[in-house]
Amino acid sequence: MDMLANLALGFATATSTEHLIYCFVGALLGTLIGILPGVGPTATIAMLLPITFTLPPTASLIMLAGIYYGAQYGGSTTAILINLPGEASSAVTAIDGYQMARQGRAGPALAIAAIGSFVAGTVATLLVAAFAPILTLVAIEFGPAEYFSLIAVGLVCSIALAHGSVLRALAMVVLGLLLSVIGTDVYSGLPRLNFGMIELSDGINVIAVAVGIFGVAEILRNLGGTTTRSSEINKIGKLMPTRDDLRQSVAPILRGTAIGSILGILPGGGALLSSFASYALEKRLAKHPERFGHGAVEAVAGPEAANNAGAQTSFIPMLTLGIPSNPVMALMLGAMLIQGIAPGPSVITQRPELFWGLIASMWIGNLMLLVLNLPLIGIWIRLLKVPYEALFPAIIIFSAIGTYAINGSAFDLYQIALFGLLGYMLYRLKCEPAPLLLGFVLGPLLEENLRRAMMMSRGNPVIFIDRPISLGLLLAAAALLVISVLPMMVRRRKEIFVED
């Protein structure tokens, strides 16, 4: 009964005129961003964070969530039609989706991708509604030691599941943690690492970090790259898949939904890893694996379901524990902090309309996306003709204006430029910036809980191993770090992230 009452509250919140509009705007922007290669949901949400400062908390989170899972839908369109994934998690879809398009079956491929995404999104939304309150009750029992250990697990997971070298990912986390301590010590009130600059008294602006490292750096990377868009767009033909297509897609969609739902909860997992894992599983289970790579519909259905399920279940740890599982969730957490909302188990009790309204909006947004993606496919294809040279300067100007408007400080613009250059350098050095952002966002939480635990134990670090949950989490973090550097695991990670 409580679940039904909570869902009723959620749908009452999500179906208000204001929230429906923001849900639609988010879904529309997400689809647009997913279709336009070279931008991506992380960069887009980073650039739109300044706008959320002027919106009500529920409306801003609903819009940002719509951008995230909307990008998973839109990314499949260009992957199928021109073999150019608009979003990283759609790279697997391009393998067989593009081959289907070359065979004159682009319509069924797009339809299966949309259907799989909708089914996975619906199931994942139900899982969020079912398990988030349970995790909230567990999280309420956590003390500082348990939270410190949980955050440590999250950071180690972001290292283990990052692209490229484990050592580089570890260095990025450490750099993020170091950047997070710049500012004023909360307990003593003394300045730390601000180099005498009054502008850094409150620390580095999270929006400047996000916009610079993901937005500006991504634009510099695309302008400096050699990737070009294909001028040849395959004809779509009829959209309706055949009965045989549907029969072959049911099981992959269900398996992809299960994989994405599980991996989405893990820190560092989410949509990208889910889609690759689903493709690998479907190829292993197929009676004729040689079809994969030549237009197998299962290779479109499974990964598309997986990346959408992974995108939505990644909200669970962020909403219930205040621990982001990927860079987008870190930005969502930043949006909550901007709005003065303390992420964690208190959200569901203190702001139930926000918590359940966001969950209900996910299902509504998925329904909107199903309508947006298929009937309007012709409009989305025309957007592929927008040149990079016109698109990217407009994005940078928009981001700069939005960031400046928050504090009215020109120093924030200097930060954007600085972190944009840093992000581009990290790309050239093959260092993934995602662990840096997670370290930066989680750094204050890690420090706060470490210091609180040490004060409770009067400086005795044994508190972290005396408490069973904390000990178990620390052992899990240590085991994961050891496993991630084993030669077999290193080879597996290279195979998974081969698209880079």
Side-chain angles (χ1 to χ4, degrees):
M1 292 299 293
D2 288 341
M3 176 67 72
L4 293 177
N6 289 329
L7 287 175
L9 171 64
F11 276 101
T13 303
T15 53
S16 69
T17 304
E18 178 188 27
H19 293 152
L20 282 175
I21 291 173
Y22 283 113
C23 184
F24 178 78
V25 169
L28 188 66
L29 280 174
T31 302
L32 173 62
I33 293 309
I35 285 172
L36 291 175
V39 186
T42 306
T44 305
I45 291 177
M47 294 168 190
L48 291 177
L49 267 184
I51 293 180
T52 65
F53 187 73
T54 62
L55 298 179
T58 305
S60 65
L61 290 177
I62 285 175
M63 185 182 75
L64 293 175
I67 292 172
Y68 182 37
Y69 54 76
Q72 311 306 321
Y73 271 77
S76 63
T77 301
T78 48
I80 290 170
L81 292 178
I82 60 174
N83 198 28
L84 189 59
E87 212 280 320
S89 60
S90 298
V92 177
T93 306
I95 298 173
D96 285 80
Y98 181 64
Q99 293 301 320
M100 289 182 68
R102 293 185 64 187
Q103 297 164 14
R105 304 188 66 234
L110 290 169
I112 288 295
I115 292 170
S117 298
F118 177 74
V119 171
T122 300
V123 173
T125 301
L126 294 175
L127 290 175
V128 174
F131 288 103
I134 298 173
L135 279 180
T136 299
L137 295 176
V138 174
I140 291 174
E141 304 299 322
F142 274 33
E146 286 82 4
Y147 261 109
F148 171 84
S149 301
L150 180 64
I151 294 168
V153 171
L155 292 175
V156 171
C157 283
S158 72
I159 294 169
L161 296 175
H163 301 197
S165 165
V166 171
L167 186 61
R168 288 192 180 100
L170 178 60
M172 290 299 96
V173 168
V174 172
L175 178 58
L177 292 174
L178 289 174
L179 291 173
S180 73
V181 303
I182 294 174
T184 303
D185 187 290
V186 177
Y187 291 93
S188 67
L190 296 175
R192 299 189 303 188
L193 302 175
N194 66 356
F195 304 103
M197 292 191 293
I198 192 68
E199 293 89 350
L200 289 177
S201 297
D202 293 328
I204 295 175
N205 190 334
V206 64
I207 294 176
V209 174
V211 172
I213 285 184
F214 289 100
V216 176
E218 184 71 11
I219 289 172
L220 292 175
R221 185 175 76 87
N222 280 279
L223 290 176
T226 57
T227 302
T228 56
R229 304 184 198 181
S230 170
S231 59
E232 178 186 354
I233 299 176
N234 289 288
K235 293 183 178 180
I236 297 172
K238 65 175 184 176
L239 283 173
M240 285 303 296
T242 65
R243 183 174 298 180
D244 191 49
D245 288 334
L246 293 173
R247 181 183 58 79
Q248 294 180 61
S249 300
V250 171
I253 287 174
L254 296 178
R255 286 191 290 263
T257 301
I259 291 172
S261 298
I262 295 171
L263 293 181
I265 299 174
L266 300 177
L272 177 60
L273 190 61
S274 300
S275 60
F276 278 89
S278 173
Y279 184 87
L281 178 64
E282 294 307 321
K283 189 172 183 179
R284 185 177 296 271
L285 295 178
K287 294 181 179 179
H288 301 284
E290 66 276 4
R291 293 175 52 246
F292 281 64
H294 301 282
V297 69
E298 309 97 292
V300 174
E304 279 302 302
N307 66 37
N308 278 271
Q312 294 191 207
T313 56
S314 61
F315 282 86
I316 293 179
M318 193 274 291
L319 289 174
T320 59
L321 304 173
I323 307 296
S325 58
N326 55 54
V328 173
M329 290 302 105
L331 295 176
M332 295 285 288
L333 188 142
M336 294 177 73
L337 293 174
I338 289 173
Q339 296 283 356
I341 301 170
S346 60
V347 173
I348 194 172
T349 54
Q350 297 178 5
R351 304 293 296 268
E353 75 288 344
L354 183 149
F355 184 89
W356 293 104
L358 178 60
I359 290 174
S361 75
M362 291 180 186
W363 187 85
I364 295 173
N366 272 277
L367 188 60
M368 289 178 175
L369 286 166
L370 191 64
V371 175
L372 280 172
N373 272 264
L374 295 180
L376 302 181
I377 190 68
I379 296 176
W380 302 130
I381 295 305
R382 291 188 184 94
L383 290 174
L384 292 173
K385 301 182 183 298
V386 176
Y388 282 150
E389 293 76 10
L391 182 66
F392 289 155
I395 292 174
I396 290 182
I397 292 171
F398 178 79
S399 303
I401 293 173
T403 304
Y404 179 82
I406 293 180
N407 298 317
S409 171
F411 188 74
D412 289 344
L413 301 181
Y414 297 140
Q415 291 186 71
I416 290 177
L418 177 63
F419 284 104
L421 292 174
L422 175 62
Y424 183 68
M425 289 173 57
L426 294 177
Y427 161 72
R428 301 293 297 179
L429 294 171
K430 298 184 179 179
C431 294
E432 188 187 3
L436 186 153
L437 181 64
L438 289 173
F440 180 77
V441 172
L442 292 176
L445 295 174
L446 188 75
E447 180 191 8
E448 180 186 355
N449 285 288
L450 172 63
R451 295 174 72 169
R452 286 175 58 196
M454 294 298 283
M455 284 190 289
M456 288 174 58
S457 65
R458 298 184 178 181
N460 190 350
V462 176
I463 187 174
F464 295 105
I465 58 176
D466 269 352
R467 303 173 74 95
I469 296 178
S470 176
L471 176 60
L473 290 170
L474 288 176
L475 289 175
L480 184 60
L481 192 58
V482 171
I483 291 172
S484 63
V485 298
L486 293 177
M488 181 181 67
M489 185 57 65
V490 172
R491 288 195 299 270
R492 175 59 63 182
R493 290 170 76 251
K494 287 180 179 178
E495 293 173 8
I496 289 175
F497 298 119
V498 71
E499 91 284 0
D500 284 341

